[in-house]
Amino acid sequence: MRRVVVTGLGAVTPLGNNVQDFWNNLIAGVSGADMIKRFDCSKFKTRFACEVKDFDPSSVIDRKEVRRLDLFAQYALYAAHEAYHDAGFVEGSFDPDRSGVIWGSGIGGLETFFKEVEAFAKGDGTPRFNPFFIPKMIADIASGHISMRYGFRGPNFTTVSACASSTNAILDSMFYIRMGKADVMITGGSEAAVNEPAMGGFNAMHALSERNDSPKTASRPFDVSRDGFVMGEGGGALILEELEHAKARGAKIYAEIVGGGASADAHHITAPHPEGLGAINVMRSALNDAGMVPTDIDYINVHGTSTPLGDIAETKAIVGVFGEHAYNLNISATKSMTGHLLGAAGAVEAIASLLAVKHDVIPPTINQENFDPELDSKLNFTFNKAQHRTVRAALSNTFGFGGHNASVIFRKFED
């Protein structure tokens, strides 16, 4: 199979609207959480989230076009713009027919759907819908817009697997290149779910933290007082490229993407398997696909949402897969800083993982105050402060409602 490398990155996140700011704040242990400013949430159980800040899409997208795009698609185009230019593409440096886009989003244009239906419900029953209602709402529209922007005429679709969506998009992109069906892929994911229906819906499920008195410390994976995840938003984009194609145009290479896996819990619509069986299967599948053994991995960016059940199940799975080597690993949950970006989580955490490989720095798990005694205290959770170590390879986990699991592995590039 052909080798696949990462040659460009782009990000718009609660920690910064470009990759460098995102990485700097991640390593510094900055929380992106604050009280919600986008809408009046005074009657909601949870009144805080990790919102994207100071976002100006007009620097990348024409102002008229902005009005025709749901926020999740704006994040997609914004992140893809940075990744495309970071990869150093110029006219003639790629074949449009062998270049594609696979994007992930768990929900798509929820804000658009809500506003249109709200306006209809307040009216007299006459169906006065915006002609862009459907094109703004559908989850696949982001990949369509990215392909039109850059003229990529190869494979183009969107993966929807809840919080595993963008990891599945990355894996599918890798597979297309491996199999010789494409040379270049823009991949990643975006989500914009800091709005009334998303916050209200997740509150109704008792999935969100209600720590309104201290939002910056609310996302606290592995802490005994964790009470749910913190909503996040944004997008992450990666340029995946066949190795020889990248070398031929003199592209810089961040890391090699060497394997991935997917599995299902087949257990419950929202709760993880209590013994982490789906997580065990997906990590083993990723290692097998990469032709690696557990001792080849130095860092795991865990799904780590700060939910009571999920954190326990995932750590059990890590010990089940890695055995004694689990205690030599660094583990961290970057959702403690970014919040949970839902369908975009996999892309943003993939960027964090491969930058850990490139820079030999492990981002921390912040907000640890009282360790949960049900967890394995011998594991290195990288609590509260970044740690420097050689990172030969990193594995990133994402798990979604419905029992969807996806893992991806990045390794230092060696020619």
Side-chain angles (χ1 to χ4, degrees):
M1 292 183 294
R2 306 193 313 164
R3 294 172 67 185
V4 185
V5 294
V6 182
T7 58
L9 299 174
V12 51
T13 77
L15 298 183
N17 298 340
N18 57 69
V19 170
Q20 192 61 59
D21 287 348
F22 163 66
W23 178 246
N24 289 344
N25 285 321
L26 202 67
I27 294 305
V30 174
S31 170
D34 209 337
M35 304 308 290
I36 293 171
K37 298 177 175 59
R38 188 165 297 146
F39 65 93
D40 180 8
C41 57
S42 57
K43 295 183 179 180
F44 284 69
K45 293 179 181 178
T46 297
R47 298 186 290 278
F48 61 92
C50 290
E51 292 179 287
V52 168
K53 303 158 187 70
D54 303 318
F55 179 64
D56 180 14
S58 65
S59 62
V60 172
I61 311 166
D62 180 79
R63 290 185 182 275
K64 182 184 292 186
E65 188 69 12
V66 168
R67 295 196 296 271
R68 299 174 179 177
L69 296 170
D70 187 90
L71 190 56
F72 96 100
Q74 294 178 35
Y75 290 155
L77 281 169
Y78 196 94
H81 175 84
E82 183 184 6
Y84 179 89
H85 290 282
D86 183 46
F89 287 128
V90 295
E91 187 175 351
S93 63
F94 60 90
D95 180 352
D97 293 331
R98 293 188 55 80
S99 304
V101 184
I102 303 177
W103 203 251
S105 184
I107 301 177
L110 181 61
E111 177 84 9
T112 294
F113 184 87
F114 171 63
K115 294 299 183 185
E116 289 292 323
V117 173
E118 180 185 47
F120 175 73
K122 290 179 178 179
D124 61 3
T126 303
R128 298 186 181 91
F129 288 93
N130 188 311
F132 291 99
F133 172 30
I134 300 303
K136 286 176 69 174
M137 178 197 72
I138 52 179
D140 67 292
I141 203 66
S143 65
H145 278 293
I146 294 169
S147 70
M148 288 183 274
R149 168 68 66 92
Y150 302 111
F152 281 23
R153 297 193 293 262
N156 187 283
F157 58 89
T158 287
T159 54
V160 180
S161 50
C163 306
S165 296
S166 52
T167 302
N168 281 127
I170 293 168
L171 295 181
D172 281 357
S173 297
M174 177 187 70
F175 294 144
Y176 269 89
I177 296 173
R178 272 184 177 180
M179 294 185 296
K181 297 181 180 296
D183 297 323
V184 177
M185 298 294 294
I186 300 178
T187 188
S190 57
E191 205 81 89
V194 182
N195 49 46
E196 292 94 325
M199 297 299 295
F202 281 107
N203 263 153
M205 296 172 63
H206 303 288
L208 296 179
S209 170
E210 297 178 17
R211 196 181 285 265
N212 293 299
D213 58 339
S214 183
K216 291 190 181 300
T217 66
S219 185
R220 45 180 56 223
F222 315 118
D223 191 278
V224 71
S225 63
R226 64 191 183 279
D227 66 332
F229 74 82
V230 176
M231 185 71 78
E233 62 171 354
L238 298 83
I239 304 294
L240 302 191
E241 199 165 345
E242 192 271 326
L243 174 58
E244 297 305 321
H245 187 279
K247 289 166 63 176
R249 66 181 190 87
K252 71 175 180 297
I253 294 173
Y254 282 98
E256 183 173 3
I257 176 170
V258 292
S263 75
D265 280 2
H267 171 69
H268 189 272
I269 59 171
T270 57
H273 190 284
E275 299 303 318
L277 292 186
I280 288 172
N281 288 340
V282 77
M283 286 187 281
R284 284 179 175 162
S285 176
L287 288 167
N288 289 337
D289 184 56
M292 301 173 77
V293 296
T295 53
D296 292 328
I297 303 296
D298 293 315
Y299 169 51
I300 300 178
N301 187 303
V302 293
H303 186 57
T305 56
S306 187
T307 56
L309 297 179
D311 291 0
I312 293 172
E314 186 171 11
T315 52
K316 285 182 179 179
I318 289 170
V319 174
V321 172
F322 290 88
E324 284 301 312
H325 182 63
Y327 306 114
N328 300 321
L329 295 165
N330 271 80
I331 294 167
S332 72
T334 50
K335 288 183 181 72
S336 60
M337 295 170 277
T338 65
H340 192 349
L341 276 67
L342 305 182
V348 170
E349 290 159 19
I351 292 171
S353 300
L354 69 88
L355 289 177
V357 170
K358 180 174 176 58
H359 298 300
D360 291 322
V361 182
I362 309 294
T365 304
I366 67 168
N367 298 326
Q368 173 61 205
E369 295 175 355
N370 297 294
F371 186 72
D372 186 343
E374 289 195 48
L375 298 169
D376 192 331
S377 62
K378 294 187 292 181
L379 293 170
N380 182 357
F381 293 96
T382 323
F383 282 138
N384 298 321
K385 187 177 180 180
Q387 294 179 17
H388 293 258
R389 66 170 290 175
T390 299
V391 185
R392 299 164 299 163
L395 181 149
S396 181
N397 284 334
T398 44
F399 310 142
F401 284 175
H404 308 292
N405 307 304
S407 298
V408 61
I409 298 175
F410 298 97
R411 184 171 62 194
K412 281 191 187 299
F413 172 67
E414 295 179 357
D415 200 352

